Amino acid sequence: MISFFLQKMRDTPSHEALLSSNFSVTYQELLQCYDELSAWISDNEIPAGAVVSFDGDYSPQSIALLLALANNNNIVVPLSSDSRNHFTEFREIASTEYDISLSGSEPALAITGRAADHPIYQQLREDNTPGLVLFSSGSTGKSKAIVQDLTKLMEKFRTPRKPLRMLIFLQLDHIGGINSLLYSLANNGTVIVSDDRTPASVCKAIQDYKADLLPTSPTFLNLLILSRAYEEFDLSSLKLITYGTEPMQESTLQKITKILPDATLQQTYGLSEV
């Protein structure tokens, strides 16, 4: 399944894959990073089927590493800086066998000595397919691990869709972030990363990079309304807002519709369960 995404990237090597104020990466450059990290995985003898975590927000390295680990049939546990205080807890819950840090100039690898023998992991290994481990918010107690068959998750993206310039909002350790990223890679889109997720920074990135899609949350939309940051930037490129992670209030929908009348709003709540 990974070969499908790699071929899509090879089809448009000079197209912008990833944009931010810190980097601008084409699909060819992303493929080069993928090749380098695939070789690094091989050199460090990370076996197929191993449970591997990595920390890092959206960057050429983190995206390339996700694809390289999936191609190695690993069970991948992405961890974003938002959950830094829970790294130890999440790695213990997931029984990670290898932990990778992307905080330095080169990836750093730690072997944990854990035995990851959960029956769901064993099934993925028997099926020779990569896995993905995400975590619930913990709003009703201790966070729970959600294990996905990554091949099945990727399969739906074979259906061609419109290429979009997407300001990616939800991180790699959230199903909405993974979904957004895979959509963009499968359709030769462009992923836009804001400097942070404050209303002003998000609006600036939409304006500067002409984003036409914003996948976000009701909480952020409420912050956007309260901040009035939309008055300071040109958001006319925005054509679609998808929202999930939590219930949406009708009052928020009504206000956003008035503020951005040319943008369609679409609910994506419940992706983890689906």
Side-chain angles (χ1 to χ4, degrees):
M1 190 63 229
I2 294 298
S3 60
F4 167 77
F5 288 89
L6 298 177
Q7 186 57 54
K8 293 294 290 186
M9 290 192 282
R10 294 187 186 105
D11 289 345
T12 56
S14 61
H15 187 74
E16 294 172 322
L18 192 63
L19 286 175
S20 79
S21 63
N22 297 315
F23 46 74
S24 175
V25 178
T26 65
Y27 277 112
Q28 181 60 50
E29 291 167 331
L30 188 59
L31 282 165
Q32 181 179 346
C33 190
Y34 165 84
D35 289 339
E36 291 170 354
L37 285 167
S38 293
W40 182 86
I41 289 169
S42 177
D43 291 344
N44 283 277
E45 300 181 339
I46 299 176
V51 182
V52 184
S53 78
F54 70 87
D55 62 74
D57 297 330
Y58 291 104
S59 69
Q61 265 198 323
S62 65
I63 293 171
L65 182 58
L66 173 68
L67 295 174
L69 289 170
N71 190 59
N72 197 46
N73 280 344
N74 289 121
I75 299 164
V76 188
V77 187
L79 300 171
S80 77
S81 59
D82 289 350
S83 59
R84 184 168 301 280
N85 293 336
H86 300 280
F87 279 6
T88 300
E89 174 193 354
F90 287 171
R91 283 166 168 154
E92 288 176 353
I93 293 172
S95 299
T96 58
E97 297 166 295
Y98 297 84
D99 295 331
I100 300 171
S101 174
L102 295 177
S103 58
S105 58
E106 297 291 334
L109 180 66
I111 301 173
T112 71
R114 296 188 184 100
D117 54 5
H118 193 283
I120 297 177
Y121 289 165
Q122 298 288 26
Q123 186 61 56
L124 290 171
R125 290 164 182 148
E126 290 173 12
D127 294 341
N128 293 314
T129 189
L132 176 70
V133 180
L134 305 173
F135 294 90
S136 66
S137 63
S139 56
T140 58
K142 188 176 181 180
S143 294
K144 299 175 182 64
I146 303 162
V147 184
Q148 303 274 3
D149 181 327
L150 195 47
T151 297
K152 291 181 180 178
L153 194 63
M154 291 177 161
E155 185 65 34
K156 69 173 182 176
F157 295 101
R158 283 186 178 275
T159 302
R161 304 290 185 188
K162 182 181 178 181
L164 296 168
R165 297 179 66 83
M166 179 189 307
L167 194 147
I168 205 153
F169 184 83
L170 300 171
Q171 295 289 357
L172 276 170
D173 58 358
H174 191 285
I175 188 67
I178 292 287
N179 196 67
S180 296
L181 174 63
L182 294 179
Y183 179 102
S184 190
L185 295 177
N187 293 286
N188 303 119
T190 300
V191 169
I192 297 164
V193 183
S194 61
D195 290 342
D196 56 51
R197 287 181 291 167
T198 61
S201 288
V202 169
C203 288
K204 186 177 188 304
I206 292 170
Q207 171 187 272
D208 292 352
Y209 303 116
K210 306 299 182 196
D212 46 32
L213 168 59
L214 173 64
T216 187
S217 67
T219 293
F220 175 80
L221 293 176
N222 277 317
L223 288 173
L224 177 62
I225 293 166
L226 290 170
S227 71
R228 304 178 74 91
Y230 55 85
E231 296 177 347
E232 302 172 31
F233 300 93
D234 179 5
L235 306 184
S236 60
S237 64
L238 203 55
K239 299 296 183 285
L240 177 63
I241 299 172
T242 60
Y243 59 90
T245 77
E246 62 197 37
M248 169 69 86
Q249 292 182 341
E250 183 64 29
S251 59
T252 303
L253 275 178
Q254 292 175 357
K255 290 174 184 176
I256 286 294
T257 299
K258 289 180 180 178
I259 292 168
L260 299 168
D262 296 328
T264 299
L265 282 93
Q266 179 178 313
Q267 186 186 63
T268 56
Y269 186 64
L271 282 175
S272 298
E273 290 77 8
V274 171

